[in-house]
Amino acid sequence: MAPTSTSRLRVRPRHCDAQAVVHAIRYHEFFEDAVLGWLDDRAGGYRRLRDDSGVDLVIVSSACEYREPARLDDDLEVDCDRERRGRTSLTLRCTVRRGTTVLAVGRITYVGVRDGAPSPLPAHL
């Protein structure tokens, strides 16, 4: 298993609905930021991954399990871990926490693509 990468963020008004609760779609933005942090740690960043390997990552599946609401001004941590790696695909798990309370768990599956076709992922992913 690849090491965990942790992103931190404070919930801002733009993340929230009229009741000051984080809107459901915003979690996918939190996941994307956490994945980019994971790529920074594992591949030197998304741009470097593309430049060095020629592989682009394309989302084929994205899901979120909502457990508890996050609210305006909450300080959150988003852990990103590799859950599964295939020859051309990669599934990452993103866990949103407020302290020790898990608020949401996301799973995003990517396929490596080069020249419009599935391509093997670089070994360091």
Side-chain angles (χ1 to χ4, degrees):
M1 170 85 72
T4 300
S5 175
T6 301
S7 301
R8 290 168 179 75
L9 68 108
R10 172 162 285 180
V11 175
R12 301 297 183 192
R14 70 179 176 275
H15 300 132
C16 297
D17 60 21
Q19 292 76 38
V21 174
V22 172
H23 188 279
I25 197 66
R26 296 297 187 175
Y27 287 91
H28 292 275
E29 295 174 12
F30 300 164
F31 301 156
E32 182 176 12
D33 289 344
V35 167
L36 291 172
W38 186 87
L39 284 171
D40 286 344
D41 294 344
R42 300 293 298 162
Y46 188 67
R47 177 175 282 179
R48 185 166 178 192
L49 170 70
R50 292 181 68 195
D51 289 347
D52 290 353
S53 68
V55 172
D56 196 7
L57 296 177
V58 176
I59 294 174
V60 296
S61 175
S62 179
C64 182
E65 174 189 330
Y66 304 97
R67 296 186 182 177
E68 299 271 341
R71 299 183 186 281
L72 182 63
D73 290 330
D74 280 351
D75 289 313
L76 305 179
E77 292 186 341
V78 186
D79 298 328
C80 185
D81 296 290
R82 185 178 69 201
E83 190 169 82
R84 190 186 66 75
R85 183 188 191 284
R87 191 176 74 79
T88 62
S89 66
L90 173 69
T91 300
L92 298 174
R93 182 183 62 249
C94 297
T95 305
V96 180
R97 293 180 292 105
R98 182 183 51 238
T100 59
T101 303
V102 174
L103 306 179
V105 178
R107 284 184 176 74
I108 305 99
T109 299
Y110 299 86
V111 170
V113 174
R114 182 182 299 145
D115 299 323
S119 176
L121 296 173
H124 57 281
L125 292 184

